[in-house]
Amino acid sequence: MDPENITQVIEFVLIGVSEVAELQIPLFLVFLVIYGLTVLENLGIITLTRVDSQLQTPMYFFLRHLAVINLGNSTVIAPKMLVNFLVSKKTTSYYECATQLGAFLVFIVAEIFMLAVMAYDRYVAICNPLLYTAVVSQRISLLLVSLTYLYGFCTAIMVSSCVFSVSYCASNVINHFYCDNVPLLALSCSDTYIPETVVFISAATNLFFSMTVVLISYFNIVWSILRMRSSEGRKKAFSTCASHMMAVTVFYGTLLFMYLQPRTSHSLDTDKMASVFYTLVIPMLNPMIYSLRNKDVKAALRRFMTNPCWLFNTTN
């Protein structure tokens, strides 16, 4: 193609979850409820773990930041998605699309490694309880969380820069409900080998290292629990990590389903459905998982519902 005849794309059109006109309002209502619950639940976790004096431990410090990440991830995606259900012209500008992709990558990468940090925290608490306060001190906890956010930010800059370094000059219709790297690169009219390689290596590396930490941590946790002589001790140890194990299983299970599909059956529509789950459904489910399976969180919630002022007074 003659470079002089190339017209650079200045905006993209998002197809959304479905193109069926009759489904737009029902889908809007469904995802509005999901997003509303996500905001309320994660703000609740953030508030409880911030103000309740009995939740001032590294475990709940990490849980608070997981809630921040879940809330951020959903907020990057849901508002624009909800608006697009109600309008006929589902467009997003070139720079708005780039910003959304970058912000999404910050939060999704941060979540991957925050779950790994939380697995390490549970490993130390169960396998080396006497060293817990020294190994997972307030300073170390803050450092781990800061590195998680910093790495997410650096990854987002690198990957989004590669995705938007190619030319978009033909179709501008994205088969997705937000700006994601795979459907974007599918629209490019220039060579995408380098950005596709960067995206693949980044995703594979992040999943490999985070899952390695999670699997090693939980192998040692399970081994330690099985070696306990007291059934009550085993039950108590298992209860401290059951919620996190469930959250990890749901999150990584969704990502592995998306990335380990055979090439012959892989499609952008399948990616879209998986994306709905890990960008909108999982951020709603995580607070439920941690609340319903965690006695400390349920007790803090009861204290807050009974006397909200008491919680704030305990922090003064």
Side-chain angles (χ1 to χ4, degrees):
M1 183 181 291
D2 187 350
E4 295 180 358
N5 295 328
I6 294 177
T7 302
Q8 185 70 24
V9 168
I10 60 173
E11 67 177 15
F12 295 97
V13 177
L14 294 165
I15 288 180
V17 177
S18 173
E19 295 182 85
V20 180
E22 292 77 10
L23 292 178
Q24 300 306 298
I25 297 300
L27 285 173
F28 169 80
L29 295 175
V30 169
F31 286 107
L32 179 63
V33 170
I34 290 174
Y35 181 58
L37 288 174
T38 300
V39 172
L40 289 174
E41 291 169 0
N42 284 287
L43 283 178
I45 291 291
I46 293 167
T47 302
L48 285 176
T49 56
R50 182 72 181 87
V51 303
D52 193 304
S53 60
Q54 297 186 37
L55 300 183
Q56 304 305 306
T57 64
M59 174 182 174
Y60 296 108
F61 176 73
F62 297 136
L63 178 58
R64 177 162 72 247
H65 283 280
L66 179 64
V68 170
I69 290 168
N70 285 161
L71 181 59
N73 200 7
S74 289
T75 302
V76 166
I77 305 299
K80 181 68 175 179
M81 176 188 185
L82 291 171
V83 169
N84 284 343
F85 282 124
L86 304 178
V87 299
S88 56
K89 190 179 182 183
K90 309 176 191 298
T91 58
T92 180
S93 72
Y94 182 90
Y95 293 106
E96 183 182 7
C97 189
T99 301
Q100 186 183 52
L101 174 61
F104 162 73
L105 290 171
V106 169
F107 289 115
I108 197 68
V109 172
E111 182 169 4
I112 289 172
F113 284 95
M114 187 60 68
L115 290 172
V117 168
M118 293 174 74
Y120 173 73
D121 169 72
R122 291 299 82 206
Y123 158 72
V124 177
I126 293 173
C127 299
N128 297 286
L130 297 179
L131 299 176
Y132 182 67
T133 55
V135 176
V136 192
S137 63
Q138 184 176 4
R139 182 178 179 182
I140 295 297
S141 300
L142 185 60
L143 178 63
L144 290 172
V145 168
S146 299
L147 288 175
T148 296
Y149 286 122
L150 179 61
Y151 181 75
F153 179 77
C154 292
T155 301
I157 293 295
M158 177 185 67
V159 174
S160 58
S161 296
C162 286
V163 171
F164 282 90
S165 67
V166 299
S167 298
Y168 296 96
C169 50
S171 173
N172 67 337
V173 179
I174 302 175
N175 184 18
H176 219 307
F177 57 92
Y178 69 96
C179 294
D180 198 8
N181 46 49
V182 174
L184 273 168
L185 290 174
L187 300 179
S188 177
C189 57
S190 60
D191 183 25
T192 60
Y193 175 77
I194 292 178
E196 284 179 347
T197 302
V198 170
V199 168
F200 175 79
I201 291 176
S202 175
T205 302
N206 293 339
L207 280 174
F208 174 76
F209 282 109
S210 61
M211 286 190 66
T212 298
V213 172
V214 169
L215 291 174
I216 291 175
S217 297
Y218 276 106
F219 174 81
N220 285 284
I221 286 171
V222 172
W223 181 249
S224 295
I225 291 175
L226 293 176
R227 292 170 61 190
M228 293 179 180
R229 297 180 179 180
S230 168
S231 59
E232 185 65 28
R234 287 196 297 269
K235 183 178 178 181
K236 184 178 180 181
F238 181 76
S239 67
T240 64
C241 59
S243 299
H244 184 257
M245 288 176 68
M246 189 180 300
V248 164
T249 301
V250 173
F251 182 76
Y252 283 111
T254 304
L255 291 181
L256 290 175
F257 168 78
M258 188 172 73
Y259 285 107
L260 297 183
Q261 294 177 77
R263 297 287 295 181
T264 54
S265 62
H266 188 274
S267 71
L268 290 177
D269 288 332
T270 306
D271 285 354
K272 195 191 300 184
M273 292 302 102
S275 296
V276 166
F277 204 76
Y278 69 73
T279 60
L280 299 170
V281 177
I282 287 179
M284 178 191 68
L285 291 178
N286 276 345
M288 294 182 184
I289 292 172
Y290 282 101
S291 299
L292 295 175
R293 303 278 308 177
N294 191 296
K295 293 180 180 179
D296 293 336
V297 174
K298 287 191 288 186
L301 183 59
R302 283 195 295 269
R303 289 193 294 271
F304 182 79
M305 297 298 291
T306 305
N307 186 6
C309 295
W310 178 82
L311 285 178
F312 290 97
N313 290 336
T314 59
T315 62
N316 295 331

